[in-house]
């Protein structure tokens, strides 16, 4: 695969990319920079929008709004750069825990997972937030705890038939899967989908012998699961059965999340990190932190929109 940068300036920690089909733009966030960004590939123009705390993930809404998980809760902006309206603040200690990976499910619920920053306890959780008004339910968002016992929530994705949900706990080097009922939002038949080798004792950046850990993910139209391997300088592609189909080398050490975009969904975009990386690594891999892209033969799934 031939990778090229689609933006000139690197992010500190790019994450949560999605392709907006109506706007024909790529959206993503730079978490520690407190920025939401979007690119118009037709013109090359990149816009940035400052928000008050770390934007862990974002998703488009059917109303035209943007749903954003900041450090302490879920917010909605009616338009690009607009005022942030609180959807729900969460009870976690925002001094140690923030929202991280998330996206909308095929029914229009917004899912967001947390990360526990001290990384010495399994306190990260995964939530679904249903903003739809439904008869017989109290007004306001309906929130469900969907998974827990993790450190860093990542790798969220759904199968093309919307019958399987995937989720990774990055430090565990494991991607999990559940059968999922899109109508009831029930998760059953929990299982290990894929496991990769852990970090060797004493390993440091630049050493050989480590293939990275699962970060963000996307699923293509054939049901294959593509996952960014942070610190591994590679993408892994798994079949729906959890069989590794491909290992794709990358020009960045720390890829963070892929997404499929372009008019035919055959452009694979990938965010990456430069934050706190060694100087020699950044010199050897000058695309670190940038959004990069390559062409693929099989299209990806279109982004899901939040029903708000």
């Amino acid at each position: 695969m031939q990778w090229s940068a689609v933006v000139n300036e690197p992010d500190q920690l790019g994450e949560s990319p999605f392709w907006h089909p109506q706007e024909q733009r790529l959206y993503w966030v730079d978490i520690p920079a407190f920025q939401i960004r979007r690119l118009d590939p037709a013109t090359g123009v990149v816009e940035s929008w400052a928000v008050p705390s770390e934007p862990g993930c974002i998703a488009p809404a059917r109303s035209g709004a943007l749903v954003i998980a900041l450090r302490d809760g879920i917010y909605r902006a009616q338009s690009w750069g607009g005022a942030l309206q609180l959807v729900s603040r969460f009870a976690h200690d925002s001094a140690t825990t923030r929202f991280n990976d998330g996206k909308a499910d095929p029914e229009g619920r917004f899912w967001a997972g947390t990360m526990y920053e001290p990384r010495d306890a399994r306190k990260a959780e995964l939530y679904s937030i249903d903003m739809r008004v439904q008869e017989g339910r109290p007004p306001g968002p309906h929130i469900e705890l969907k998974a827990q016992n993790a450190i860093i929530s990542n790798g969220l994705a759904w199968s093309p038939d919307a019958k399987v949900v995937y989720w990774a706990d990055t430090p565990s080097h494991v991607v999990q899967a559940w059968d999922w009922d899109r109508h009831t939002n029930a998760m059953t038949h929990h299982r290990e989908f894929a496991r990769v080798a852990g970090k060797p004792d004493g390993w440091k950046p630049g050493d050989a012998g480590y293939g990275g850990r699962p970060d963000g993910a996307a699923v293509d139209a054939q049901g294959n699961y593509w996952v960014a391997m942070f610190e591994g300088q590679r993408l892994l592609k798994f079949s729906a059965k959890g069989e590794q189909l491909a290992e794709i080398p990358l020009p960045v050490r720390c890829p963070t999340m892929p997404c499929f975009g372009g008019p035919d969904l055959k452009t694979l975009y990938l965010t990456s990190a430069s934050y706190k990386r060694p100087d020699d690594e950044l010199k050897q891999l000058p695309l670190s932190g940038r959004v990069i892209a390559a062409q693929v033969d099989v299209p990806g799934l279109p982004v899901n929109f939040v029903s708000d």
Side-chain angles (χ1 to χ4, degrees), residues 74 90 99 103 105 109-113 125-131 141-147 158 180 184-185 187:
I74 310 303
F90 281 67
F99 275 103
K103 57 188 68 170
D105 72 23
R109 307 174 189 90
F110 184 60
W111 292 50
E125 298 171 323
L126 176 66
Y127 296 92
S128 73
I129 302 97
D130 192 344
M131 302 179 195
H142 179 68
I143 299 170
E144 293 184 31
L145 175 64
K146 305 307 297 180
W158 284 266
W180 181 65
T184 66
N185 202 18
M187 294 164 61

Side-chain angles (χ1 to χ4, degrees), residues 48-219:
S48 294
W49 168 18
V51 290
S53 65
E54 295 94 332
C57 55
I58 54 174
R62 290 176 181 154
S63 66
L66 191 67
V67 179
I68 307 160
L70 296 181
R71 173 171 281 272
D72 65 338
I74 310 303
Y75 295 79
R76 180 202 291 112
Q78 290 301 119
S79 60
W80 173 261
L84 296 177
Q85 304 164 342
L86 179 67
V87 173
S88 180
R89 185 168 282 112
F90 281 67
H92 62 246
D93 181 359
S94 61
T96 59
T97 301
R98 67 165 175 82
F99 275 103
N100 196 50
D101 181 69
K103 57 188 68 170
D105 72 23
E107 282 293 300
R109 307 174 189 90
F110 184 60
W111 292 50
T114 60
M115 69 172 287
Y116 183 61
E117 292 173 311
R119 307 188 190 194
D120 57 2
R122 308 188 66 80
K123 295 184 178 181
E125 298 171 323
L126 176 66
Y127 296 92
S128 73
I129 302 97
D130 192 344
M131 302 179 195
R132 297 173 295 180
V133 176
Q134 295 190 18
E135 187 176 350
R137 207 166 69 184
H142 179 68
I143 299 170
E144 293 184 31
L145 175 64
K146 305 307 297 180
Q148 54 188 337
N149 194 35
I151 296 174
I152 302 177
S153 177
N154 259 317
L156 185 66
W158 284 266
S159 62
D161 63 4
K163 291 184 177 180
V164 178
V165 59
Y166 303 96
W167 186 54
D169 175 30
T170 295
S172 298
H173 295 75
V174 172
V175 180
Q176 306 169 66
W178 291 261
D179 292 344
W180 181 65
D181 186 311
R182 65 187 298 166
H183 303 295
T184 66
N185 202 18
M187 294 164 61
T188 56
H189 188 211
H190 179 215
R191 59 211 180 260
E192 184 176 294
F193 173 73
R195 178 182 292 270
V196 295
K199 184 184 294 187
D201 291 341
W203 184 90
K204 59 185 183 297
D207 290 350
Y210 180 48
R213 50 198 179 274
D215 204 309
V219 172

